[in-house]
């Protein structure tokens, strides 16, 4: 038996329970791992609240990201051995001391990256990779706006985009978060609580607007984000921390400059083993070379996941947060 956070009914943070579960041994093509650290992400709150339905129904353990040590492997697993340090994104169920994961979801953590860093960077870091390198190819000629710049994905994306030579604009909700983002690649920051971010983007860009806007906020930044984009530019809606966008009007894209819009998810971009290895490999490379520094700003015991979720949803966290089993 191992301890895990379980959700028997969706709702607020207090629906999470610290319980014993019977794990068993890995089946064919599976691996049993002992977690050393687990990543906390906003998507965890979506599953817990019921905004995203858990694929296997209730009850379930939240969490899509973790790192740990291989304990045992099932039949057919030839690329991993007990004792290997590994990290992963998905499937759901990371909030546990130990768990069983499909072998194809695991990547070996390279030397020079510790377990806490790996656990906290896989989902956010690979999200930054697909946003900047695949959804829209960011380069020296790119001007971009990134909402929630002081969040986990935002701090990684700011550093990476600056390395790629882009003009990087961000939004945040406090002076502290603005200072943090400026230290992580953002040349221009906007306090959306005291400034009109649409007007400020127009000022910064000389009225031209951005080539691409990355928006994980949702309700509170729509449709303003569209007004920040140049004609034929791109709106990337990859989250909804303030709530889902209701009644999206496709006609707005025409009215605001024949814009492109996409609603990507990481899991589509890493759906094949080759894609996972390429995405994770590029992330590991920029971290090992010091281009991107992963800031572990908060740490909670896994048993205290309720507090972690309350702080996350209360916008009291910055950068990366990990849960320790």
């Amino acid at each position: 038996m191992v301890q895990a956070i379980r959700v028997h009914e969706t709702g607020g943070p207090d629906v999470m329970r610290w319980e014993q579960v019977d794990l068993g041994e890995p089946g064919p093509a599976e691996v049993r791992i002992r977690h050393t650290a687990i990543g906390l992400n906003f998507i965890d709150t979506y599953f817990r609240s019921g905004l995203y339905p858990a694929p296997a129904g209730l009850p379930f353990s939240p969490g899509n990201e973790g790192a740990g040590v291989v304990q045992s492997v099932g039949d057919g697993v030839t690329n991993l051995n007990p004792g290997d340090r590994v990290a992963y994104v998905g499937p759901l169920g990371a909030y546990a001391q130990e768990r069983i994961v499909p072998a194809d979801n695991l990547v070996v953590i390279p030397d020079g990256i510790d377990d806490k860093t790996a656990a906290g960077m896989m989902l956010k870091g690979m999200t930054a990779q697909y946003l900047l390198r695949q959804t829209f190819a960011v380069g020296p000629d790119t001007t971009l706006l990134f909402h929630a710049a002081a969040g986990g994905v935002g701090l990684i994306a700011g550093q990476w985009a600056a390395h790629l030579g882009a003009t990087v604009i961000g939004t945040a909700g406090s002076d502290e978060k603005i200072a943090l983002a400026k230290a992580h690649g953002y040349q221009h920051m906007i306090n959306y609580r005291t400034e009109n971010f649409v007007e400020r983007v127009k000022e910064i860009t000389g009225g031209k607007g951005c080539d691409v806007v990355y928006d994980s906020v949702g309700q509170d930044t729509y449709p303003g984000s569209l007004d920040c984009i140049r004609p034929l530019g791109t709106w990337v809606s990859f989250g909804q921390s303030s709530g889902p966008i209701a009644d999206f009007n496709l006609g707005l894209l025409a009215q605001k400059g024949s814009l492109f819009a996409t609603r990507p998810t990481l899991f589509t971009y890493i759906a094949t083993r080759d894609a996972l290895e390429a995405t994770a490999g590029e992330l590991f490379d920029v971290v090992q070379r010091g281009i991107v520094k992963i800031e572990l700003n908060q740490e909670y015991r896994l048993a205290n996941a309720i507090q972690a979720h309350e702080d996350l949803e209360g916008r009291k966290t910055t950068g990366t947060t990990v849960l320790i089993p």
Side-chain angles (χ1 to χ4, degrees):
M1 303 286 282
V2 299
Q3 293 287 129
I5 294 288
R6 300 284 282 169
V7 173
H8 293 267
E9 60 179 353
T10 56
D14 59 355
V15 302
M16 295 187 290
R17 299 285 182 264
W18 182 236
E19 299 177 346
Q20 282 194 329
V21 295
D22 187 9
L23 189 57
E25 290 302 314
E30 293 181 334
V31 174
R32 177 168 174 161
I33 66 171
R34 174 180 56 80
H35 280 130
T36 50
I38 298 155
L40 176 73
N41 297 282
F42 229 101
I43 194 174
D44 302 352
T45 72
Y46 298 162
F47 284 107
R48 186 214 71 222
S49 69
L51 180 63
Y52 289 0
L58 297 167
F60 69 92
S61 290
N64 283 281
E65 172 184 54
V69 180
V70 173
Q71 301 297 101
S72 57
V73 301
D75 291 342
V77 177
T78 58
N79 61 326
L80 294 169
N81 297 290
D84 286 345
R85 294 193 310 127
V86 291
Y88 67 90
V89 172
L92 197 66
Y95 285 20
Q97 291 175 327
E98 298 187 21
R99 72 173 301 195
I100 292 172
V101 183
D104 276 350
N105 289 47
L106 297 167
V107 293
V108 174
I109 303 170
D111 293 341
I113 297 178
D114 63 78
D115 288 13
K116 289 181 182 179
T117 300
M121 79 178 194
M122 295 301 293
L123 192 149
K124 290 176 280 290
M126 290 198 294
T127 295
Q129 193 280 344
Y130 86 72
L131 291 174
L132 302 177
R133 305 286 286 153
Q134 300 184 67
T135 302
F136 188 98
V138 170
D141 296 328
T142 303
T143 298
L144 66 87
L145 172 66
F146 209 103
H147 287 298
V153 178
L155 292 182
I156 294 172
Q159 297 173 78
W160 206 329
H163 170 72
L164 294 170
T167 299
V168 193
I169 307 168
T171 66
S174 71
D175 291 342
E176 178 188 18
K177 289 185 176 182
I178 284 172
L180 183 63
K182 283 185 174 179
H184 289 79
Y186 289 87
Q187 295 104 320
H188 307 278
M189 283 298 301
I190 302 165
N191 188 330
Y192 63 80
R193 296 188 189 278
T194 59
E195 301 175 279
N196 182 307
F197 72 84
V198 176
E199 292 178 359
R200 285 287 292 121
V201 166
K202 292 297 177 69
E203 290 175 9
I204 292 166
T205 62
K208 295 179 181 179
C210 298
D211 300 293
V212 57
V213 171
Y214 295 106
D215 191 341
S216 64
V217 177
Q219 191 177 83
D220 288 354
T221 49
Y222 175 83
S225 286
L226 303 183
D227 293 318
C228 297
I229 305 172
R230 64 161 173 80
L232 304 180
T234 301
W235 177 52
V236 183
S237 173
F238 69 101
Q240 48 203 32
S241 61
S242 68
I245 295 169
D247 302 320
F248 171 69
N249 179 4
L250 191 64
L252 279 179
L253 301 179
Q255 296 171 24
K256 294 181 182 295
S258 299
L259 305 180
F260 294 87
T262 182
R263 180 59 174 87
T265 69
L266 171 62
F267 300 103
T268 307
Y269 280 86
I270 58 171
T272 67
R273 181 67 193 180
D274 286 347
L276 170 62
E277 290 181 348
T279 303
E282 188 166 347
L283 172 62
F284 288 147
D285 177 63
V286 294
V287 172
Q288 286 179 300
R289 288 196 288 150
I291 294 166
V292 170
K293 294 179 174 62
I294 306 300
E295 303 287 348
L296 296 175
N297 291 342
Q298 294 84 209
E299 183 176 310
Y300 300 82
R301 301 301 301 180
L302 178 58
N304 294 333
I306 290 175
Q307 185 65 56
H309 276 224
E310 288 176 347
D311 290 350
L312 180 65
E313 292 179 296
R315 304 191 183 216
K316 296 178 181 178
T317 65
T318 59
T320 296
T321 304
V322 293
L323 308 172
I324 305 301

